[in-house]
Amino acid sequence: MRAVAVASLVVAVLSQPVTARAEWFAAPFLGVKFAGSSNFVDLDRAAGERKLTVGGMAGFLSPGVLGIEVDASYTPGFFERSGGTNLLTGSSVSTLMGGVIAAVPTSVVGDSLRPYVTGAIGLIHVGLEDIVDIFTVRTNLLGIGVGGGAIGPIGRRTALRFELRYIKSLGSADDAVLFGETQVSFWRAGVAVVFRP
């Protein structure tokens, strides 16, 4: 009987009319990648180092549960360490993914922090160049990203978005020297400023 009452309450809350409308958004972000791993030849052993990441998200989020988004990021120096071997002339990892957001409805949280989870699939581009051009890599891999965070309004058309996301490649790279099965994976933490029209 108590379960029926709780279920009825949940249905009643979620079915209430919401004054907020679904909106498109754009959200540039600044973050850091950390706890990375890779089986590309990592001459500086720097895949696990913290690195600055920049990027942006754009999509559509309803006042209900679901939304969609595209996420792009760029991490320069992914395989480089300050004071390392100086055998690398450049490296980076870029991502471009599309995914789904599942957020707590605005009818529940109102104007407070809105928690969400997200899942995405897309491309991970790995670029790696060394001075003798032996371990050079330029490849695109299929990848996934899963994470979560919260969105908090700071104005009528702006909000802050805090997120932690895990990104991992799938499959194999045909044009790279690899050891093991996993090509590249890492965590990304970031803060975005959300702009709504």
Side-chain angles (χ1 to χ4, degrees):
M1 192 68 180
R2 181 178 296 175
V4 172
V6 170
S8 299
L9 178 61
V10 169
V11 169
V13 168
L14 296 181
S15 63
Q16 290 297 310
V18 180
T19 57
R21 58 188 173 87
E23 291 183 331
W24 293 95
F25 67 87
F29 72 81
L30 190 64
V32 61
K33 87 75 180 169
F34 62 97
S37 65
S38 174
N39 60 349
F40 292 101
V41 175
D42 186 1
L43 296 173
D44 276 359
R45 297 184 179 178
E49 295 286 300
R50 294 178 184 166
K51 293 288 179 178
L52 178 70
T53 298
V54 295
M57 299 168 252
F60 179 84
L61 184 58
S62 75
V65 175
L66 294 179
I68 57 173
E69 72 175 356
V70 175
D71 175 282
S73 70
Y74 175 67
T75 306
F78 190 99
F79 296 96
E80 298 167 58
R81 182 193 301 269
S82 178
T85 62
N86 294 319
L87 296 175
L88 297 177
T89 58
S91 68
S92 65
V93 170
S94 304
T95 66
L96 178 61
M97 297 187 178
V100 176
I101 309 169
V104 176
T106 55
S107 60
V108 174
V109 298
D111 291 331
S112 62
L113 282 175
R114 188 178 184 191
Y116 69 90
V117 293
T118 183
I121 188 167
L123 293 178
I124 300 174
H125 177 79
V126 177
L128 179 60
E129 297 178 2
D130 63 277
I131 58 174
V132 292
D133 201 27
I134 294 176
F135 301 114
T136 294
V137 174
R138 291 182 200 89
T139 191
N140 293 316
L141 301 166
L142 180 66
I144 58 170
V146 293
I151 304 168
I154 56 175
R156 187 167 177 266
R157 299 189 180 278
T158 56
L160 286 180
R161 176 171 169 171
F162 307 91
E163 183 178 279
L164 179 64
R165 186 178 297 217
Y166 177 69
I167 298 170
K168 182 182 188 305
S169 64
L170 305 171
S172 300
D174 296 331
D175 59 345
V177 179
L178 301 171
F179 299 98
E181 296 181 358
T182 301
Q183 283 70 55
V184 63
S185 65
F186 57 95
W187 288 88
R188 186 186 82 196
V191 178
V193 180
V194 180
F195 298 98
R196 296 184 290 258

